[in-house]
Amino acid sequence: MKARPTEQNAGLVVGNSALAADVSPKGRLFQRIKFNPPSFNFGECAIRSAGDSGFSFCVGGTEKEDFELEWHVAEHTFPRYVAMADLTESIDLRIEAYAPISTDNVRDMFLPAIVVHVLLENKSDECADCSVCALWNCDETVFGSDKPVLKEISHRSFAALKGKAFISVFNAEKARLCAADESILSLCGSVSLLPHGAKEITFRLGCLFPTHRITFYYRSIEELLSGMDAHIEKHRNGIQDFIDCVPSIGDEKITEYTRWYMQAAILLTKSTNTGEVITMGYTELNQRDSFWTSFVHLSIWPELERDMIELSCRWQRTDGKIPTTVLPMYERNFDIDINEYFCLRIARYYSFHNDRQFLAQCWDYYKNAVGWLLTRDLDGDGIPEQDVPENPECFWGDWKDVPG
């Protein structure tokens, strides 16, 4: 592959709670890939770079890189990218990229893979042999420095494996590794097109760690890919269902903004094989930040919102204080907004779902949290204070207290 130009970041248009990526303005798939590590440990839990990737397309002796094509972009709004291009005068190309998300289950949003459907259509009266190659400069410090190996997953399903990372292709007639540099993970899939015929092949770029939540269902990369092969249309329909569930007031621009703002809620969701789940502030569950990033879970995946409220209850101190952050735990001891948002979160859930049983389950924790807030009324005026004004971190209680 040719040297790839550095382009302006265009937003992580595809992604779920495991991986995310952006498509560059020239159509590079993908200029940035981000990885959400399945860990709650200090120093390991921040979202980090997972390198970059690119695709090339070959018909006969004509090869084009993704960024060299003239793309007609039909959709570039989270969580899906769709674009078309003329690969040659007689071969049309369509790309559809996303990471699995579904409104009817929480499992799909933790599938650690980015999906790229490649549709090739032959408009000529002649047969055409086509190949599509994907290369991923995956970070060896994250995924391991093993040599790439090619595996056949099942009939017409192949995968290139390198440590914990993989590229797979489904519905290809043949596949091979295509990078001479063993530090790069690569896979090339080939198909033959009949005159006026079309074929779609599906690529996936992903990884699997032993601590991934998805290991509840798939314990190896081979199992994961076999499962995803069996549910290709389900995952594709799941993305459409998610897009369709976005509320609309008839203004397309507001709908577009809503889809982009939902991105943070999903990309900042983290879970592991312990079953614990959070929406991250920086890298942890902070009641203030999590309150605002869990609005999507409240309405679409309420079981995840319940899990996060229950997790917060379990971490409540004996005096009623909710720690500043949990998973990992950090405590300031005096911040009042944490308890306030914890109480608001329980009240919001009850208001939205009218779940009296869950409210009863949380009631004692709610009362204890309010009780602690009452102890912060330092001057008896009925309003809790964060701490004495001399404390420079008092602004966490009320940002309007910051001078200037």
Side-chain angles (χ1 to χ4, degrees):
M1 283 192 172
K2 302 174 185 177
R4 296 180 169 275
T6 300
E7 301 180 60
Q8 178 182 344
N9 291 336
L12 298 169
V13 66
V14 301
N16 60 15
S17 298
L19 288 166
D22 79 343
V23 179
S24 77
K26 290 185 177 180
R28 179 180 171 187
L29 301 158
F30 298 94
Q31 183 167 250
R32 293 179 298 157
I33 300 176
K34 295 292 185 178
F35 167 59
N36 190 351
S39 172
F40 296 120
N41 298 328
F42 277 113
E44 299 177 358
C45 49
I47 292 176
R48 60 183 298 176
S49 171
D52 62 280
S53 64
F55 281 71
S56 65
F57 311 91
C58 184
V59 180
T62 303
E63 182 176 4
K64 293 284 185 70
E65 304 279 350
D66 45 15
F67 63 87
E68 295 179 311
L69 294 168
E70 293 292 330
W71 293 99
H72 169 67
V73 179
E75 186 174 11
H76 190 164
T77 303
F78 182 83
R80 186 170 62 189
Y81 175 84
V82 179
M84 289 75 72
D86 294 329
L87 185 53
T88 66
E89 289 185 359
S90 59
I91 303 295
D92 287 347
L93 172 65
R94 183 182 187 273
I95 295 290
E96 179 183 355
Y98 56 86
I101 305 171
S102 176
T103 58
D104 65 7
N105 71 81
V106 301
R107 177 174 66 181
D108 287 358
M109 68 188 292
F110 296 104
L111 283 166
I114 296 167
V115 179
V116 181
H117 298 298
V118 181
L119 178 65
L120 297 157
E121 184 176 0
N122 183 6
K123 298 182 294 183
S124 76
D125 296 328
E126 305 291 332
C127 292
D129 292 327
C130 305
S131 63
V132 181
C133 296
L135 272 74
W136 181 7
N137 297 305
C138 50
D139 190 336
E140 292 188 347
T141 63
V142 179
F143 302 114
S145 57
D146 306 28
K147 291 183 178 181
V149 296
L150 179 65
K151 279 199 171 185
E152 185 172 1
I153 303 301
S154 62
H155 179 59
R156 290 182 174 243
S157 179
F158 307 89
L161 311 179
K162 179 177 170 59
K164 298 176 179 65
F166 62 82
I167 300 176
S168 72
V169 62
F170 177 77
N171 205 32
E173 294 161 15
K174 295 182 292 184
R176 60 181 175 84
L177 302 180
C178 51
D181 185 348
E182 292 184 342
S183 68
I184 296 176
L185 184 58
S186 66
L187 186 64
C188 182
S190 302
V191 293
S192 296
L193 301 180
L194 294 174
H196 302 284
K199 285 186 180 178
E200 181 179 83
I201 57 177
T202 297
F203 282 83
R204 301 185 194 94
L205 288 73
C207 60
L208 186 66
F209 282 69
T211 52
H212 262 127
R213 180 186 176 106
I214 205 67
T215 56
F216 290 163
Y217 314 99
Y218 307 114
R219 291 180 290 179
S220 68
I221 291 176
E222 291 83 353
E223 284 186 15
L224 172 66
L225 293 175
S226 293
M228 294 191 73
D229 286 347
H231 294 100
I232 282 182
E233 289 308 311
K234 175 180 176 292
H235 294 152
R236 177 180 254 155
N237 293 336
I239 282 291
Q240 186 60 54
D241 291 343
F242 176 81
I243 292 169
D244 291 343
C245 86
V246 177
S248 174
I249 60 170
D251 187 318
E252 291 185 7
K253 204 64 181 176
I254 291 178
T255 301
E256 180 184 348
Y257 290 156
T258 303
R259 284 170 60 175
W260 277 113
Y261 276 107
M262 293 171 80
Q263 174 211 52
I266 294 168
L267 269 56
L268 291 173
T269 300
K270 181 189 290 289
S271 189
T272 71
N273 60 352
T274 66
E276 295 169 308
V277 61
I278 67 171
T279 55
M280 295 186 286
Y282 293 96
T283 60
E284 67 294 302
L285 175 61
N286 173 298
Q287 298 298 323
R288 176 188 60 252
D289 299 339
S290 187
F291 180 87
W292 296 112
T293 54
S294 61
F295 71 99
V296 175
H297 309 71
L298 175 74
S299 55
I300 301 177
W301 304 291
E303 60 267 49
L304 293 183
E305 176 68 353
R306 287 196 305 271
D307 287 348
M308 286 184 274
I309 294 173
E310 290 172 349
L311 173 67
S312 303
C313 290
R314 292 196 298 272
W315 279 84
Q316 188 177 54
R317 295 186 338 197
T318 56
D319 63 356
K321 172 76 165 65
I322 302 295
T324 303
T325 73
V326 300
L327 294 179
M329 203 276 279
Y330 174 77
E331 183 62 284
R332 286 197 187 96
N333 291 314
F334 48 76
D335 43 10
I336 58 175
D337 61 331
I338 299 300
N339 273 43
E340 291 166 342
Y341 274 109
F342 170 74
C343 294
L344 283 171
R345 195 166 189 172
I346 294 172
R348 180 181 68 172
Y349 188 90
Y350 177 71
S351 175
F352 203 91
H353 292 289
N354 196 31
D355 188 339
R356 297 183 68 87
Q357 182 177 352
F358 186 68
L359 178 63
Q361 177 183 330
C362 299
W363 187 242
D364 285 343
Y365 299 98
Y366 183 96
K367 289 192 298 181
N368 290 339
V370 172
W372 183 85
L373 285 170
L374 293 175
T375 69
R376 303 306 300 169
D377 179 10
L378 304 180
D379 56 10
D381 65 355
I383 300 174
E385 283 79 36
Q386 179 110 327
D387 202 358
V388 294
E390 290 76 22
N391 188 326
E393 291 189 316
C394 272
F395 63 84
W396 290 113
D398 179 357
W399 291 0
K400 292 184 182 296
D401 289 343
V402 179

